[in-house]
Amino acid sequence: MSDLVMVVGIGADGWAGLSAAARRELHAAEVLMGSARQLALVPEATAERVAWPSPMLPALPALIASHRGRRVCVLASGDPMFHGIGTTLVRLLGTGRVRVLPHPSSVSLACARLGWAVDRVEVVSVVTRPVESLHAVVHQGRRVLVLSADGRTPARVAALLAARGYGGSPMTVLERLGGAGERVIHGTAGGWSLPVAHDLNVVAVECRADAGTVPLPCVPGLPDEAFEHDGQLTKSEVRAVTLSRLAPVPGELLWDVGAGAGSVAIEWMRAHPANRAVAVDSHPERAARISRNAAGLGVPGLNVVTGPAPAALAGLEPPDAVFIGGGVTVPGVVEGCWEALRPGGRLVANAVTVESEAVLASWHGELGGDLVRLAVSRAAPVGGFTGWRPMMPVTTWTAIKPVEGER
């Protein structure tokens, strides 16, 4: 029992809101860990109190190990397994050493106050992520709950929505949910006037697009105009086909090599919140542009690596899929990507020049896969009429790396 870490969820109502089981665990604890605010909510506990150091996560393993053999109880806000310390402790110690007693989460409490169905709400935590993560879920008619980092988050959310063309969206800030000082503040994103709220708050948004705001779809093939670029951009139609060949699966990692504007990596990450990507480009200006595009399209967690491939690929986590948008003629690029690719992973490479086509044809001959040529024409004015303007044809090679034992 001494090796078991208890994690108790607690709300803003403190001791009064705890269940009998939670109170028993706190009374029995020899060591009580939590933030200073959480520890202050438990006046009746007699255990040794340990406030989290800052930063907490790097110090957590040694801190838990230093109290091994004692009854340790960790306090968490609300549901410890919902963006909470409970998930961190399970990863660190394993499920056998952690027991969790949850409290209603801030999401459950907020939906109860608002009359919203929990299963129909998008939830975005900006506690440890940039507020730009919100871009990925802003769509007409959607309801969104933002878990705030601090009291300035509501104003940042309002500014982001207004700049995105959703200034008319109703906003509600719910402070200290469940506590004696609970307060609810209403307004709209465009007219938000509260610069700082209480640090303990949740922001509720009903997304309403302003007139003329162009929606961004969830499927691959965003309009080219959605990206800042210098011409090095995988065009919308080709990008949609490329993403279908890359076949994103939740939780997988993509390398986007010769990323240009980063459009393929960004759309890969937009396909599912758990997806990750590394965008590699040798030009510092393009690398900075990729980061701006990623933030503006709701995936600020995109890892941008500046440097020439294949050297820049050294040390990166092996990918589940690779897209080579530029640099297939550079010696070692295709080889390096193929060698790093996990078994069963997909490699997709595009070519627009005769020389790069020849490289892909050679690799197709060696490794097999699919070789496809895409030809797209867009309607454009021809005098007083309309004609077809062809884009440069794109050759796409797709190969799946065999799993061990396959031929």
Side-chain angles (χ1 to χ4, degrees), residues 363-377:
W363 279 103
H364 175 258
E366 181 176 342
L367 297 176
D370 294 327
L371 202 58
V372 176
R373 173 172 282 188
L374 304 173
V376 177
S377 296

Side-chain angles (χ1 to χ4, degrees), residues 218-282:
C218 298
V219 297
L222 290 176
D224 295 343
E225 296 74 24
F227 300 92
E228 179 187 347
H229 64 90
D230 60 1
Q232 296 299 310
L233 173 74
T234 302
K235 301 302 188 291
S236 176
E237 298 86 353
V238 176
R239 194 182 330 122
V241 173
T242 298
L243 265 295
S244 73
R245 294 302 184 103
L246 288 167
V249 174
E252 289 191 331
L253 172 68
L254 169 77
W255 285 1
D256 184 352
V257 181
S263 61
V264 171
I266 289 168
E267 296 226 44
W268 168 279
M269 291 184 68
R270 282 173 59 90
H272 193 275
N275 286 358
R276 299 173 297 136
V278 179
V280 181
D281 202 284
S282 60

